[in-house]
Amino acid sequence: SSSLSHEVRESRVSLTARPYPGYRGAMSHSTPAKDGSSRPDGQAYTVVKDEDAWKSQLSPLEYHVLREAGTEAPFVGEYTDTETEGVYRCRACNAELFRSDHKFHSHCGWPSFYAPLAKDSVVYLEDRSLGRLRTEVRCANCGGHLGHVFEGEGYDTPTDLRYCINSVSMTLEPRPAAE
């Protein structure tokens, strides 16, 4: 529908410009665990816990990815190839992040989406940790590391963006069956 197209265009983030006011710039050693309770734009995260609480809630791999900005191995994630319809939520805080109808097969080894559920469901940080510029994507509700977003790769999507997201960072709430 035209409203969805408008919504997707409006959610597009320019990766060559500052994605939001208060953008913090190069974050080569940034992790959610080190960054504390404030979002990159200076607002407080809605969900704040100490690291011991996160460690008791999350598995070691979930903690490594969500709190230490790690990456799960490619092609092994639970949601890499799934086509189940529904809403993807942050595994750490249950916030809605992505919809299955914005998911596409990029063959990169991780689930790929062309837009977040809403513009304010994720926050962006500049990441130079691998010696090159990337844009990190975090949950706007708890600060959990989700993955990265890439622009201009030539995928046939409405936004020309690929949100490359770790499966272990999310849960999938399937769409209820029609009655």
Side-chain angles (χ1 to χ4, degrees):
S1 77
S2 62
S3 64
L4 177 59
S5 297
H6 175 72
E7 175 185 318
V8 170
R9 277 195 309 277
E10 290 298 311
S11 71
R12 184 182 171 111
V13 59
S14 171
L15 303 181
T16 56
R18 293 173 171 249
Y20 52 81
Y23 186 68
R24 289 177 39 189
M27 303 295 295
S28 60
H29 298 291
S30 175
T31 68
K34 290 180 185 176
D35 290 347
S37 60
S38 294
R39 294 170 24 149
D41 60 8
Q43 297 180 43
Y45 287 112
T46 304
V47 175
V48 177
K49 299 180 183 184
D50 66 35
E51 292 311 305
D52 288 335
W54 286 121
K55 285 178 183 176
S56 69
Q57 175 187 334
L58 303 169
S59 75
L61 179 59
E62 292 165 357
Y63 182 85
H64 174 64
V65 172
L66 286 159
R67 303 301 303 159
E68 297 176 328
T71 302
E72 70 185 334
F75 301 104
V76 300
E78 179 179 7
Y79 304 122
T80 302
D81 295 317
T82 188
E83 295 187 11
T84 303
E85 293 183 6
V87 173
Y88 290 86
R89 296 177 173 274
C90 177
R91 188 174 298 271
C93 72
N94 207 36
E96 294 182 354
L97 299 171
F98 299 94
R99 289 192 309 214
S100 60
D101 55 351
H102 291 168
K103 189 174 187 282
F104 68 100
H105 292 286
S106 67
H107 310 287
C108 71
W110 294 274
S112 296
F113 302 86
Y114 62 80
L117 185 65
K119 288 190 290 188
D120 60 352
S121 63
V122 297
V123 293
Y124 307 94
L125 287 88
E126 186 175 293
D127 177 0
R128 295 181 182 273
S129 62
L130 296 180
R132 60 185 167 92
L133 178 62
R134 300 183 300 163
T135 301
E136 181 183 356
V137 180
R138 290 190 187 172
C139 173
N141 198 46
C142 71
H145 171 78
L146 303 173
H148 291 84
V149 60
F150 302 95
E151 181 178 41
E153 296 179 317
Y155 290 103
D156 186 22
T157 64
T159 62
D160 198 31
L161 297 175
R162 176 174 59 93
Y163 286 79
C164 182
I165 306 298
N166 292 283
S167 286
V168 74
S169 298
M170 304 179 293
T171 60
L172 174 58
E173 179 182 302
R175 182 173 293 151
E179 295 182 21

